[in-house]
Amino acid sequence: MFQARRQEWGVIEDYIRYGASNMYSPHWLFNEYYFLGAQPDVNKVKEIGNIISGYQYFIRRIRSDQKLSRPSPLFNKEYYISQLDREVISDAFFDF
C-alpha cells in the first residue's frame, strides 16, 4: 500500500503536491503517459499550466466528455461510471 511522504498528507494530497509534477500514475488503472499520449489537447492544457495532470482532467471530465480516452488499456469507462454514486462525489481535485 502506498504511504504519503508526510504523515499529515493523505495519498491524494501527496499525488497533487509531488506525484503529478513527476508524471507518476496515481492508480494502476490510470497511466499518465498513456492518457496524455492519447489526448494531445489535454497535454497542451497541462503544459500551459491550467491543470496539474491528465488525471485531474480525467476526473473532472469523465461523465461529460464522450470522446475522453481510456486512461489505460485495462480501464472500462462505462463500468466505472456505472459504479459512481451520483449523490456523493468527493475528490480533492474539485477543491482547487
Side-chain angles (χ1 to χ4, degrees):
M1 177 181 250
F2 180 80
Q3 296 291 319
R5 283 162 188 65
R6 296 180 69 181
Q7 200 169 31
E8 64 270 16
W9 294 354
V11 293
I12 292 294
E13 185 172 357
D14 185 80
Y15 175 74
I16 292 168
R17 290 177 181 253
Y18 181 78
S21 63
N22 289 296
M23 291 287 290
Y24 292 165
S25 297
H27 190 273
W28 66 274
L29 285 174
F30 189 94
N31 183 304
E32 189 76 16
Y33 289 99
Y34 181 93
F35 182 73
L36 292 176
Q39 298 277 156
D41 293 343
V42 176
N43 203 20
K44 288 177 187 171
V45 172
K46 182 179 181 276
E47 288 172 1
I48 292 169
N50 292 342
I51 58 173
I52 63 166
S53 68
Y55 181 66
Q56 177 188 7
Y57 184 89
F58 180 80
I59 292 297
R60 288 183 171 175
R61 310 273 182 175
I62 187 165
R63 287 194 185 152
S64 62
D65 190 344
Q66 297 300 317
K67 296 183 217 171
L68 194 63
S69 294
R70 296 184 319 172
S72 81
L74 301 173
F75 188 85
N76 182 325
K77 179 181 171 184
E78 291 74 26
Y79 177 78
Y80 178 82
I81 291 173
S82 76
Q83 300 303 304
L84 290 175
D85 182 344
R86 305 269 184 223
E87 300 283 325
V88 180
I89 299 293
S90 63
D91 189 276
F93 288 123
F94 290 115
D95 295 332
F96 70 93

